[in-house]
Amino acid sequence: MAIVVTRTEAGLSATTSFQSMNNQFASSGLSLVVPSGVSQISSISMGVSSVATGADFCSGFKLTGTALQEGDATFMGPAVAQAASGGTGVANCVVQEKTALGVTSGNTLDIQVAVTTAATIDSSCTITFE
């Protein structure tokens, strides 16, 4: 049985330091406890878009917390490149990675995002537990 969890950030002033993603659209300040009956994260999907003209960056997503049996895991997310003029929001594709990250039910997990060059972004991350 797969359990899917999503976290989002809108209008985030992203930097090169990882920041927690603790929202799910209109719901904010959410913590994430690994559900019972699962033993691993089988995939992670990451999406990013820029909300500013001229933003160029690569994104990274980090899973951290006491739930991860092997320690933190960092993934390359989508990259965004925009023309210096034109529209003010270029969407990018979603990056999906298959994983086999062991987790401990009942422990905490934190999903974080960072970028290579500071930018205002919208981001989403979906993880699948099995």
Side-chain angles (χ1 to χ4, degrees):
M1 171 175 84
I3 297 174
V4 178
V5 175
T6 297
R7 291 294 183 264
T8 63
E9 290 295 329
L12 179 68
S13 294
T15 68
T16 56
S17 297
F18 282 100
Q19 298 176 61
S20 291
M21 297 179 66
N22 59 2
N23 300 311
Q24 187 178 48
F25 301 99
S27 299
S28 61
L30 302 175
S31 61
L32 177 55
V33 175
V34 175
S36 61
V38 300
S39 61
Q40 71 174 2
I41 295 171
S42 60
S43 71
I44 179 171
S45 300
M46 302 152 286
V48 173
S49 67
S50 173
V51 294
T53 300
D56 285 329
F57 58 86
C58 295
S59 64
F61 288 77
K62 183 177 183 179
L63 302 180
T64 186
T66 60
L68 292 166
Q69 295 172 355
E70 302 289 327
D72 296 350
T74 304
F75 298 88
M76 176 190 71
V80 172
Q82 290 186 340
S85 63
T88 59
V90 175
N92 199 281
C93 65
V94 172
V95 172
Q96 184 175 33
E97 294 281 340
K98 292 192 179 289
T99 69
L101 298 172
V103 293
T104 303
S105 295
N107 286 10
T108 60
L109 183 66
D110 189 28
I111 302 171
Q112 302 176 347
V113 64
V115 292
T116 54
T117 302
T120 302
I121 66 169
D122 289 351
S123 63
S124 62
C125 183
T126 298
I127 56 175
T128 304
F129 294 100
E130 290 189 7

